[in-house]
Amino acid sequence: DIQMTQSPSSLSASVGDRVTITCRASQSISRHLNWYQQKPGKAPKVLIYAAASLQSGVPPRFSGSGSGTDFTLTISSLQPEDFATYYCQQSYNTPRTFGGGTKVEIK
Amino acid sequence: QVQLQESGPGLVKPSGTLSLTCAVSGGSISSTNWWNWVRQPPGKGLEWIGEIYHSGSTNYNPSLKSRVTISVDKSKNHFSLKLASVTAADTAVYYCATPSHFCSGGNCYWYFDLWGRGTLVTVSS
């Protein structure tokens, strides 16, 4: 199985801050990497697919980069509605695997 | 548009079998797509359980493979999950989900863009 390691596991930030979350795969996955946002009691919502493509309807303050084993999700200016947990997920092969999550909290 | 809705018992006894159904509305389960189950224990991360194609082909997570069966019922336009020999560790919110894909440069990239609302299943006597 491909292991996905996210860091940090949690962070505190203020509205307007630039936030960066990283995800590392245990082997090369090319650009087969997706990012999801999950709010309490809700299903995950895809933000970025194929490492850097913005899902329709997602604000452009979200961006993704990387390929191979190292990936980054960036929120350019954190908004109140962005406080949530973020997960990376590889779709290179099965079993599909997720990172452990990064909880973004209000400072 | 296509919507997914999970249903099934919210409480299962230890050593029993967890059974859930995901109803597909607004579209046909026979469309060219894979139908997935993902779970999330309370306060923890996401775990992929497995997937089924409308033809019946399946892929399972090796960590659960010996206990999992995913099936599709085209006549009812739904797919199902059975997890046998459950323990408290199987207590989780269970989601059904289906991916879209994006193809570029000869590669296709899959991502889960459609999810059900999830259903909590508790394993307890």
Side-chain angles (χ1 to χ4, degrees):
Chain A
D1 300 4
I2 298 174
Q3 306 303 315
M4 307 300 295
T5 303
Q6 272 182 250
S7 61
S9 56
S10 66
L11 64 90
S12 295
S14 301
V15 173
D17 283 354
R18 182 181 182 88
V19 169
T20 298
I21 299 169
T22 63
C23 180
R24 175 165 289 176
S26 60
Q27 67 180 72
S28 176
I29 57 171
S30 182
R31 290 166 45 215
H32 296 269
L33 190 283
N34 308 313
W35 289 99
Y36 300 86
Q37 177 193 67
Q38 187 179 33
K39 296 182 178 179
K42 300 292 188 182
K45 168 189 170 185
V46 64
L47 302 174
I48 301 287
Y49 61 91
S53 295
L54 190 68
Q55 172 70 340
S56 176
V58 174
R61 63 180 178 272
F62 291 94
S63 64
S65 64
S67 67
T69 60
D70 294 313
F71 302 88
T72 300
L73 172 70
T74 299
I75 309 172
S76 60
S77 178
L78 198 66
Q79 298 302 300
E81 60 268 30
D82 301 337
F83 292 95
T85 301
Y86 295 83
Y87 294 94
C88 61
Q89 176 243 330
Q90 65 81 16
S91 57
Y92 182 78
N93 63 11
T94 60
R96 311 298 189 200
T97 47
F98 293 84
T102 297
K103 187 173 185 178
V104 177
E105 299 176 304
I106 302 172
K107 182 183 285 185
Chain B
Q1 72 258 28
V2 178
Q3 293 184 310
L4 305 178
Q5 179 65 60
E6 306 89 350
S7 62
L11 181 65
V12 182
K13 294 187 186 305
S15 78
T17 297
L18 179 159
S19 296
L20 296 174
T21 295
C22 180
V24 179
S25 60
S28 172
I29 202 165
S30 297
S31 63
T32 54
N33 217 341
W34 290 87
W35 306 95
N36 288 251
W37 288 98
V38 177
R39 71 179 183 178
Q40 184 172 37
K44 296 188 178 180
L46 299 160
E47 180 181 31
W48 181 78
I49 299 171
E51 63 184 0
I52 189 166
Y53 198 62
H54 63 82
S55 63
S57 297
T58 54
N59 293 302
Y60 296 136
N61 192 323
S63 68
L64 299 169
K65 187 174 184 177
S66 64
R67 300 193 290 132
V68 170
T69 303
I70 298 176
S71 60
V72 64
D73 187 330
K74 297 179 186 178
S75 67
K76 295 182 179 178
N77 216 41
H78 73 210
F79 62 107
S80 299
L81 168 70
K82 290 189 185 298
L83 181 65
S85 305
V86 296
T87 69
D90 295 309
T91 293
V93 174
Y94 286 76
Y95 295 99
C96 52
T98 193
S100 289
H101 64 280
F102 158 74
C103 296
S104 172
N107 289 304
C108 288
Y109 302 89
W110 294 80
Y111 55 99
F112 294 120
D113 66 333
L114 183 62
W115 297 71
R117 297 177 69 175
T119 187
L120 174 63
V121 179
T122 301
V123 178
S124 176
S125 55

